[in-house]
Amino acid sequence: DQQVKQNSPSLSVQEGRISILNCDYTNSMFDYFLWYKKYPAEGPTFLISISSIKDKNEDGRFTVFLNKSAKHLSLHIVPSQPGDSAVYFCAASLHGSGNTGKLIFGQGTTLQVKP
Amino acid sequence: GAGVSQSPSNKVTEKGKDVELRCDPISGHTALYWYRQSLGQGLEFLIYFQGNSAPDKSGLPSDRFSAERTGGSVSTLTIQRTQQEDSAVYLCASRPASGANVLTFGAGSRLTVL
């Protein structure tokens, strides 16, 4: 039962253009969502997050959008840079006391930004 | 320490042998998680420790897998009688007791079972 899905295994964009990575989830109880970036031979690093009470969160070139009715979130990177080439994982969790805080991850999307 | 430290970074073993993977979380982080990433797959939750509470072992794939956390700090993941399907990168993560659910990951231990 894949509760968090990233249906695009890979994405290729030109430097300077926008990268849009998508993620769908099935559990409507999830209330906190995150994006992680992973380079080869390194652990995932936190990129940006969003609470379910919001529909948008922005941090520099990175913006995450949340559509609760569609159970869908997306990560926008603009402008894309070659250094953004990595595997991007979306993750969801149940926040608050009484929950373990464990993250449920999607399968990842490999982003390639071409110079 | 400054980050989550894992050892060994690489481990090659023969089928049937036992392996131990170690995780040293960020100092002061009370919550510790183990995940694994098999080739081409996402991160699969294995086990969670929080302070002195009973661990959440719901993600352990079989009884060959076990983990402990001594003194609320260092954790060891043990895989007994390893199988080829156990080959994966095993990732440890930690976070503080309160605040946002942002996990900080180590670089992982790559396990190859021949």
Side-chain angles (χ1 to χ4, degrees):
Chain A
D1 178 26
Q2 191 77 26
Q3 295 190 69
V4 179
K5 298 180 183 180
Q6 294 176 256
N7 292 317
S8 297
S10 63
L11 175 67
S12 181
V13 300
Q14 206 66 35
E15 180 179 8
R17 306 296 292 268
I18 185 171
S19 296
I20 300 176
L21 297 99
N22 294 300
C23 179
D24 297 293
Y25 61 96
T26 58
N27 188 344
S28 58
M29 299 298 291
F30 287 142
D31 58 3
Y32 193 66
F33 304 89
L34 308 89
W35 285 93
Y36 278 78
K37 179 168 75 172
K38 186 180 184 303
Y39 293 119
E42 296 182 12
T45 56
F46 170 72
L47 194 55
I48 193 169
S49 64
I50 188 167
S51 165
S52 61
I53 62 173
K54 295 185 175 181
D55 55 17
K56 176 183 176 181
N57 189 27
E58 189 173 355
D59 183 2
R61 296 185 297 113
F62 303 91
T63 303
V64 56
F65 295 91
L66 176 62
N67 182 334
K68 288 191 293 295
S69 61
K71 297 192 185 67
H72 177 84
L73 67 154
S74 61
L75 174 68
H76 292 210
I77 306 173
V78 55
S80 301
Q81 299 174 353
D84 297 330
S85 298
V87 179
Y88 289 79
F89 292 97
C90 73
S93 75
L94 296 170
H95 203 211
S97 63
N99 294 306
T100 65
K102 72 183 182 187
L103 302 182
I104 309 299
F105 284 87
Q107 308 96 307
T109 296
T110 300
L111 173 65
Q112 182 184 31
V113 180
K114 298 180 178 178
Chain B
V4 178
S5 179
Q6 292 188 245
S7 62
S9 55
N10 277 288
K11 176 72 176 180
V12 180
T13 191
E14 293 179 347
K15 177 182 172 181
K17 296 286 180 76
D18 298 352
V19 296
E20 284 190 353
L21 307 176
R22 175 189 167 105
C23 173
D24 200 343
I26 292 173
S27 178
H29 281 195
T30 58
L32 185 148
Y33 303 78
W34 283 97
Y35 284 81
R36 75 174 175 181
Q37 184 183 15
S38 303
L39 189 64
Q41 302 297 311
L43 279 69
E44 175 189 6
F45 168 77
L46 296 178
I47 188 168
Y48 158 77
F49 296 91
Q50 171 64 284
N52 295 320
S53 302
D56 175 359
K57 304 179 182 180
S58 60
L60 294 179
S62 78
D63 58 8
R64 296 185 296 104
F65 288 73
S66 63
E68 63 177 20
R69 189 178 185 192
T70 53
S73 181
V74 172
S75 177
T76 302
L77 177 68
T78 301
I79 309 172
Q80 296 179 309
R81 304 181 302 282
T82 51
Q83 304 294 312
Q84 287 184 332
E85 61 263 28
D86 300 334
S87 297
V89 177
Y90 289 82
L91 293 155
C92 177
S94 69
R95 67 168 174 85
S98 59
N101 270 8
V102 178
L103 276 57
T104 301
F105 282 86
S109 293
R110 178 176 295 277
L111 174 66
T112 304
V113 183
L114 301 177

